[in-house]
Amino acid sequence: MGDVSEGVAGPPAGSVEARLAGRLAELRSERGWSLEELADRSGVSRSTLSRVERAEMSPTAAMLGKLCTVYERTMSRLLSEVEREPPGPVPAGSQEVWTDAATGFVRRSVSPPHAGLRGEVMEGRLREGAVITYEAPPVPGLEHHVWVLDGAVEVTVGEKTHALGEGDCLRFRLWGPSGYRCPGPGAARYVVVAVLP
């Protein structure tokens, strides 16, 4: 579990990253888990979890994916829990943006989850050569629609990799590991629509 290098140092106070750190600490506390127990469940080291919960480092997409699986939440739902405003219209300027500096993944919550609604929309951006992987879905059977807006993205679902170009869309239900890679040339921008089963 030597994953200390998975994050980058110090989100500013009051930022979405700092609020996320607080929410992750709350979720663990709500379950009565020690850092050791969460480390065992997630595969993320105790020291890294401690630093993330104290907002001393920002989690990577892969690390958040592991924690979302343990807490049975989509990443969008987790990020919506740290939003300052209640759900409703989501102007472009107020959409939450989270960046994984280690991989070059930028995630914009275009239409965050809301109680009573089953779908959410997220925009992803990957720099050329960037790879993000998830060991398991946060919710088994989660429906995904991935639509590439610019560039190219390779989407791996289970053991199969799909090469998508501009305008292409991939639809699937997620039961196991997955990943996204930008083969280039240049960066990629895509939309993910996720629908709870």
Side-chain angles (χ1 to χ4, degrees), residues 103-108 122-132 146-155 162-168 180-192:
T103 62
F105 173 54
V106 178
R107 182 185 195 288
R108 175 182 296 276
M122 150 333 245
E123 176 192 65
R125 293 176 186 254
L126 289 171
R127 64 185 177 215
E128 184 175 345
V131 177
I132 54 173
V146 180
W147 179 33
V148 179
L149 302 177
D150 299 304
V153 180
E154 293 175 352
V155 181
H162 306 269
L164 305 177
E166 189 172 318
D168 293 343
Y180 294 76
R181 177 180 175 270
C182 176
R189 185 169 66 100
Y190 57 95
V191 168
V192 176

Side-chain angles (χ1 to χ4, degrees), residues 84-103:
R84 295 180 184 201
E85 300 296 325
V90 188
S94 67
Q95 293 168 6
E96 292 284 353
V97 176
W98 176 75
T99 301
D100 177 357
T103 62

Side-chain angles (χ1 to χ4, degrees), residues 153-179:
V153 180
E154 293 175 352
V155 181
T156 301
V157 182
E159 296 183 3
K160 184 163 185 174
T161 299
H162 306 269
L164 305 177
E166 189 172 318
D168 293 343
C169 183
L170 175 66
R171 304 175 295 179
F172 58 93
R173 285 196 181 273
L174 190 56
W175 298 98
S178 62

Side-chain angles (χ1 to χ4, degrees), residues 75-96:
M75 193 178 298
S76 291
R77 182 149 311 270
L78 176 63
L79 292 174
S80 76
E81 292 172 5
V82 298
E83 288 180 351
R84 295 180 184 201
E85 300 296 325
V90 188
S94 67
Q95 293 168 6
E96 292 284 353

Side-chain angles (χ1 to χ4, degrees), residues 34-55:
S34 66
L35 282 169
E36 290 81 4
E37 185 168 357
L38 180 56
D40 289 342
R41 290 172 180 267
S42 67
V44 179
S45 74
R46 180 194 180 286
S47 61
T48 297
L49 290 168
S50 177
R51 292 182 65 205
V52 165
E53 288 186 4
R54 292 192 317 262

